[in-house]
Amino acid sequence: MRYAFSVLPNGATFLALTATIAIGSATSPNASLAQTAPKTMAEWTTPGGTDQGTRYSGLKDITADNAATLVEEFSFSTTTRNSHQGSPLVVGTGDKATMYVVTPFPNKLIAVNLKDRSSWTYSPNPRSFATGLTCCDVVNRGAAYGVIDNGGPNNGKGVVVYTLLDGNVVAVDTATHAQLWRTKVADPWKGETLNTPTIVIPVDSFKNTAISNYPITKVVVFGSSGSEMGVRGSVRALDLATGKLVWQAYGTGPDKDVKIDSSTVAPFDKDRNSVNGADQGVTSWPTSGAATWQHGGATSWAWVTYDPDTKTLFYGTSQPGTFNPEMRMGGKTNDNKWGASIFARDPRTGVAKWVYQLVPWDNWDYDTVNESTVVDLNVDGSQKKVIVHFSKNGIAYVMDRVTGKLLSAKAYGDLNWAKPVDSDGNYVDLHTGLPTVNPDKQTIGGSNNKKAGDITDYICPSAFGVKDWEYSAFSPDTNLFYFGAHNMCMSYEPLQVNYIAGTPFVGVSIGITPHKDANGAYEVNKMGEFVAFNPVTGLRAWTIPEAKPVFGGALVTAGKVVFYGTLDKHFRAVNAETGGIIKSWDLECGVTSAPITFLGADGKQRVAITTGLGYLNGGFAGGKCPASDSSTSGMVHVYKLQ
C-alpha cells in the first residue's frame, strides 16, 4: 500500500487580504426569498444553533453600527491542544447561564457559569489507543443539550450529550456534573471512531420495552468516522433517557441495513429500486476483492439537521472507500451506493423517506457530509420547503425537502470536474439527477483511459472542497447564506491498497495546490475566502478574500452582522449586507470552529469563538497551534459591547 498526502505550497508564507469585492446581486428584485427562518435567542443548545442548522440569531443588540466597539470580556483555556472544531453551548439565562465546551481528545467537558465564572470539568477518560486509529486529527465537532421528559427516573434532568473518540457516547447531568450514562457503539480497532457532533431530536412518544419501561420521547442522533480506514459507515439514534440504541442505519449494504423499504422514494430513476432492483447498496459494488460494500465507507462525520414541520432528519454520507475508484468498479453499476448521498429519514424509526446520490462512482473524494440547512425559499414564485446543501464538489443543491426533488444545482465556486448542463447554469441535470462529468478530470477511465497509478492534474475543487465541514449560516433578513470557502485544486493518483482492519484503506496520493487565475498563475495569496451566496439566483453577493483556506464556520444575527474566524488568527465582524469588514480582532491561534452568540448573565448579547489548530488545518498555517511544545492550549474568547 502507498498513501501520501501533501499540501503545497507552505501556507506560512501567505499574506492576509482584507479587500471586499462585489460579484453579483445580493438582493435581486426577482429573488423574493424566505420570509422567516428558525433562530436562536438567549441560549445556544445545538451545534447548528437551531435544529434546522440556520446558525441565525434573533439577537440584535450588536449591530453593524456598533460591532466595532466589541471588546473581549473574558477568555479561558481549555487546557487541550489540537483542532477545536466544535462550538460552545450556552444553556440557561441570568445567574444560571452556563457555557459548555467539549475539547478535542481527551474530550473533556468544561462548564463555566457566566455570572461568577465558576467552573467544573467532567473528564470521560477515553482510551488513548483511539488517537492512533483516526484519520484526520483528534477533533470533536461538538455537543448538544436536551432535557429528559419521558416520566422515568431521570425525568427533568438536563444533559449535555456528546461522542468520544474511542467509540463511546456520554450524557452528563448538568446539575450533578456526573455521567448519567455511557454507551459503547463503535470499535476503533476496526477503524471506526467518533468525533462527530450530536443532535437531540424529539419524536412522537413510543414504547419499546427492550430499551426501557418508559416511553422514548427524544433521540440522540450522530454519525461516525473512518471511511479512510475501510469501515462501513452508519448513523445511530440513542434514547436520550437511557443511552440505549433505538436504531442504526448503514450507508452501504442491503436495503434492510440501510433502512430503505417500500415507503422510501427516490427522486430520480438512477436511485429507484423499481428501476435498478433492490439492495443497490450491494449490487452497485464489486462482488469480490477488498473494495466491496462491507468496507465501503459512506460515513457521516459532520452535521445532522432536523425539520420539526415534516418530522424529518437530513444528513449526507462521505465518499465511498477506498479512494481508488478502479477498485470499486463492478456489480450492476459502478455507483457505489450509498456513498456521497443525502438521506431524509424518520427520526423515530430511522427509515429513509427519500435518498439521492449526488456523486455516483466518486472519483475525487467529494464527500456529501456538509450540512443540509432547512429553510423555506420562494422559488419560481412559490414558497418551497427546501434544504440547501453546499457540497464539497462546488455545487449548491437546492432540494424540495419533502420529495427530494432537485430544484437547482448551480456552482458556488470554481469547479472543472463537471460541466454546466443547461442555460440556467445548473451543473446537474434536473431530470436525471446526474452531473455531466468532464472526462479530462476523471481519475479512472475518462479521456485517456486512465488507470491506477496515472495522475490527473489540476482538478478543481480539491478534496477539501470549495467548502468543507465549516458550518454555513442563513439570514432571512438578507436572504443570503454565509460560509468560509477554499480556492484550492488538486492532483489525484489512485493507488492499489489492501484492506487490513484498523489501518488506512485510502488508496490515493493527493497533492493540493492553490487555484490559478485567468492567466494561469497560482493565487497563492488567496487560498481562502468568505462568501455571501444567494441560493435562488445562484449568485455570490460578495466575497472577502483570505490568504489561507477558511475552515471556520459562520454566524449571522438579526443585527445584520456576520462573524467568522480564520486560520491566520483573526476573528472578524462583517456587515451582512455589504461584506464590509467592521472589525478584526487578533487571536493567539487560528480558528476551525464556528462562533456563537447568546445572552450573558446581565441579559446583554455576547459573541464567543474558540481557537486551536491540529496538524491537518495547521498545515496551512505553519503547523499546530499552540505548538506541541507549548504550555498553552486552545482558548475560548467572549466579547461584549463596550
Side-chain angles (χ1 to χ4, degrees):
M1 180 192 76
R2 176 184 164 209
Y3 167 49
F5 189 90
S6 58
V7 176
L8 297 172
N10 187 337
T13 62
F14 300 146
L15 300 174
L17 300 178
T18 58
T20 300
I21 58 174
I23 291 182
S25 170
T27 53
S28 163
N30 296 322
S32 175
L33 306 177
Q35 306 303 310
T36 60
K39 60 189 177 185
T40 67
M41 293 303 288
E43 301 175 297
W44 193 281
T45 60
T46 194
T50 62
D51 288 345
Q52 295 87 345
T54 53
R55 294 192 67 78
Y56 169 68
S57 169
L59 300 178
K60 47 188 175 184
D61 291 351
I62 300 169
T63 68
D65 292 331
N66 65 21
T69 67
L70 285 167
V71 295
E72 184 168 286
E73 179 184 22
F74 69 98
S75 64
F76 61 92
S77 165
T78 67
T79 69
T80 307
R81 300 187 185 93
N82 291 307
S83 183
H84 287 54
Q85 294 184 7
S87 296
L89 305 178
V90 170
V91 178
T93 58
D95 293 351
K96 295 183 178 179
T98 302
M99 176 178 288
Y100 299 92
V101 179
V102 175
T103 72
F105 186 89
N107 303 141
K108 294 176 294 185
L109 176 65
I110 302 169
V112 178
N113 179 278
L114 297 180
K115 172 70 173 178
D116 58 17
R117 315 279 164 74
S118 60
S119 66
W120 53 268
T121 300
Y122 161 75
S123 297
N125 299 313
R127 302 288 296 275
S128 60
F129 70 84
T131 61
L133 298 169
T134 186
C135 156
C136 308
D137 214 339
V138 292
V139 307
N140 184 284
R141 297 191 176 88
Y145 174 81
V147 177
I148 297 169
D149 60 356
N150 68 342
N154 293 320
N155 193 62
K157 291 183 181 293
V159 294
V160 174
V161 58
Y162 65 100
T163 61
L164 308 182
L165 192 66
D166 69 354
N168 284 277
V169 184
V170 293
V172 181
D173 186 333
T174 57
T176 65
H177 315 166
Q179 177 181 296
L180 188 65
W181 53 256
R182 183 184 189 115
T183 301
K184 174 82 169 178
V185 298
D187 183 0
W189 287 116
K190 295 181 180 178
E192 187 179 25
T193 50
L194 299 185
N195 53 21
T196 42
T198 55
I199 184 171
V200 176
I201 297 176
V203 296
D204 291 339
S205 174
F206 69 101
K207 270 286 198 68
N208 183 337
T209 54
I211 294 175
S212 172
N213 291 326
Y214 297 92
I216 296 169
T217 58
K218 291 176 181 171
V219 293
V220 182
V221 180
F222 57 94
S224 61
S225 295
S227 280
E228 300 80 3
M229 310 292 276
V231 306
R232 182 184 175 206
S234 69
V235 165
R236 298 172 171 93
L238 307 183
D239 175 21
L240 179 66
T242 64
K244 293 185 177 179
L245 183 68
V246 178
W247 55 260
Q248 179 176 13
Y250 285 93
T252 67
D255 287 349
K256 65 179 179 56
D257 291 357
V258 184
K259 286 194 170 293
I260 289 175
D261 67 14
S262 58
S263 69
T264 305
V265 299
F268 301 107
D269 281 352
K270 70 184 187 65
D271 297 325
R272 288 178 184 146
N273 278 1
S274 59
V275 175
N276 305 294
D279 299 327
Q280 295 179 73
V282 174
T283 62
S284 61
W285 288 83
T287 55
S288 63
T292 61
W293 60 269
Q294 290 95 336
H295 307 297
T299 57
S300 299
W301 51 269
W303 317 109
V304 176
T305 56
Y306 174 65
D307 175 22
D309 290 340
T310 61
K311 298 181 180 179
T312 307
L313 66 84
F314 304 93
Y315 68 90
T317 58
S318 74
Q319 80 291 334
T322 156
F323 290 35
N324 178 354
E326 186 178 63
M327 295 180 64
R328 291 185 269 106
M329 299 174 69
K332 291 181 181 177
T333 70
N334 298 328
D335 287 355
N336 308 136
K337 291 184 167 85
W338 297 95
S341 303
I342 288 182
F343 282 95
R345 293 191 185 275
D346 182 337
R348 191 170 179 266
T349 64
V351 171
K353 293 187 175 183
W354 56 261
V355 59
Y356 168 36
Q357 186 180 47
L358 277 58
V359 187
W361 193 43
D362 171 71
N363 268 226
W364 312 272
D365 184 19
Y366 288 157
D367 300 58
T368 305
V369 298
N370 293 349
E371 71 281 4
S372 293
T373 307
V374 176
V375 294
D376 291 349
L377 296 179
N378 190 310
V379 180
D380 296 331
S382 63
Q383 201 78 352
K384 301 285 188 183
K385 294 180 180 295
V386 305
I387 56 171
V388 178
H389 172 81
F390 296 96
S391 207
K392 277 175 68 174
N393 65 27
I395 298 172
Y397 295 80
V398 180
M399 289 170 276
D400 184 315
R401 65 177 180 266
V402 177
T403 66
K405 179 182 178 182
L406 185 61
L407 303 177
S408 69
K410 297 178 180 178
Y412 68 96
D414 189 37
L415 62 93
N416 65 16
W417 71 276
K419 298 179 178 181
V421 298
D422 60 32
S423 58
D424 291 332
N426 290 298
Y427 276 71
V428 177
D429 187 318
L430 302 186
H431 302 289
T432 67
L434 289 168
T436 299
V437 174
N438 178 353
D440 293 340
K441 300 304 177 184
Q442 281 189 232
T443 62
I444 292 294
S447 300
N448 298 313
N449 195 26
K450 299 186 190 89
K451 57 185 180 305
D454 292 337
I455 299 174
T456 305
D457 283 323
Y458 199 65
I459 304 168
C460 303
S462 78
F464 288 105
V466 172
K467 172 186 170 302
D468 210 336
W469 72 82
E470 55 273 10
Y471 226 127
S472 60
F474 175 75
S475 168
D477 305 314
T478 61
N479 298 316
L480 296 173
F481 275 86
Y482 305 91
F483 50 83
H486 314 145
N487 290 313
M488 299 187 292
C489 302
M490 66 177 173
S491 63
Y492 199 101
E493 180 186 5
L495 301 168
Q496 294 296 316
V497 62
N498 294 319
Y499 173 75
I500 302 173
T503 65
F505 187 56
V506 182
V508 70
S509 175
I510 296 175
I512 305 294
T513 66
H515 184 267
K516 295 177 183 177
D517 66 17
N519 297 317
Y522 286 113
E523 298 177 302
V524 295
N525 289 323
K526 204 175 75 173
M527 288 180 67
E529 57 187 332
F530 190 78
V531 177
F533 186 85
N534 184 320
V536 172
T537 64
L539 294 173
R540 292 180 169 198
W542 48 258
T543 69
I544 300 173
E546 295 285 356
K548 303 182 188 308
V550 180
F551 285 102
L555 161 72
V556 63
T557 72
K560 297 185 179 179
V561 183
V562 182
F563 295 91
Y564 72 99
T566 71
L567 285 185
D568 52 3
K569 307 177 184 178
H570 297 296
F571 181 44
R572 304 200 197 283
V574 177
N575 185 310
E577 293 180 312
T578 68
I581 296 176
I582 299 169
K583 187 171 181 176
S584 291
W585 294 266
D586 293 337
L587 302 168
E588 79 292 338
C589 186
V591 174
T592 58
S593 64
I596 66 167
T597 190
F598 54 93
L599 294 184
D602 60 1
K604 296 181 179 178
Q605 188 178 1
R606 303 292 197 278
V607 181
I609 187 74
T610 304
T611 64
L613 302 182
Y615 78 87
L616 184 63
N617 306 124
F620 293 98
K624 295 172 67 172
C625 178
S628 298
D629 59 355
S630 170
S631 61
T632 60
S633 70
M635 298 286 291
V636 179
H637 299 270
V638 178
Y639 298 83
K640 70 173 186 177
L641 288 172
Q642 200 167 28

